[in-house]
């Protein structure tokens, strides 16, 4: 007990630095019942961390043709192997594409399947060497990269999903979330 008292009294006689003094003064002026105190440090005007442009529109056949097309197949495969791209499936805009009449009409348009009907595409997929990329470890490096999971630890990702990414209606980064885009 004596050592604790000695420790406290010896620290009380030390000079207080300027930044410590200002932080102590600020702490003394806090009002826990003031709503402005709670929101003073919040910066809600930050754009959301998730992309507003969908990378894969599952409601349109052109997205599925990217998987069939030998030229764009590798990029689409890598997009699916990257966990950071999965946030697009959490956005309401992704699901609203399924009720878009233009997307529905694209499914019955034979021109949407032109890539699949090309002879070069069929020849490419008939070759067993086309499937060798599935066992290539380089295709799955994005899954093992911890930086691709950081989007899930960013609070702005979830603010964007809730529609709280920004309070400015003229801001192009203002996307409607599950609960609207109002503040």
């Amino acid at each position: 007990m004596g050592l604790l008292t000695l420790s406290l009294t010896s620290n009380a006689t030390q000079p207080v630095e300027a930044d410590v003094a200002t932080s102590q003064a600020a702490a003394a002026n806090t009002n826990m019942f003031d709503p402005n105190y709670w929101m003073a440090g919040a910066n809600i005007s930050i754009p959301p961390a998730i992309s507003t442009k969908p990378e894969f529109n599952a409601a349109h056949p052109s997205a599925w043709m990217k998987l069939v097309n030998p030229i764009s197949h590798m990029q689409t495969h890598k997009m699916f192997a990257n966990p950071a791209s999965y946030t697009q499936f959490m956005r309401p805009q992704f699901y609203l594409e399924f009720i878009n009449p233009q997307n529905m009409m694209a499914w019955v348009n034979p021109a949407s399947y032109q890539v699949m009907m090309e002879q070069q595409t069929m020849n490419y997929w008939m070759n067993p060497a086309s499937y060798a990329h599935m066992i290539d470890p380089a295709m799955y490096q994005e899954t093992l990269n911890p930086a691709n999971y950081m989007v899930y630890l960013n609070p702005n990702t979830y603010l964007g999903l809730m529609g709280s990414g920004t309070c400015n209606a003229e801001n192009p980064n203002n996307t409607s979330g599950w609960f609207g885009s109002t503040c």
Side-chain angles (χ1 to χ4, degrees), residues 8 10 14 16 21 28 31 43 73 80 96 107 115 118 130 135 142 147-149 164 180 182-183:
L8 291 174
S10 66
Q14 298 295 325
V16 178
N31 182 359
N43 188 1
H73 176 78
F80 277 114
L96 288 175
W107 284 101
V115 172
E118 291 178 0
S130 313
I135 58 171
E142 297 298 320
N148 290 329
Y149 294 95
S164 303
T182 58
C183 297

Side-chain angles (χ1 to χ4, degrees), residues 147-168:
N148 290 329
Y149 294 95
M150 292 299 122
V151 69
Y152 300 107
L153 299 178
N154 188 345
N156 292 328
T157 300
Y158 304 103
L159 283 174
L161 290 173
M162 296 302 175
S164 303
T166 179
C167 295
N168 184 0

Side-chain angles (χ1 to χ4, degrees), residues 164-181:
S164 303
T166 179
C167 295
N168 184 0
E170 286 83 31
N171 188 344
N173 293 323
N174 187 13
T175 59
S176 61
W178 288 103
F179 301 108
S181 61

Side-chain angles (χ1 to χ4, degrees), residues 54-57 63 66-67 72-86 88-89 139 142-143:
E55 297 176 39
F56 185 78
N57 183 1
K66 288 180 184 177
L67 280 170
S72 61
H73 176 78
M74 298 292 261
Q75 291 119 354
T76 309
H77 195 273
K78 286 182 180 181
M79 187 264 309
F80 277 114
N82 187 351
S85 67
Y86 297 160
Q88 68 180 327
F89 303 124
M139 291 297 297
E142 297 298 320
T143 307

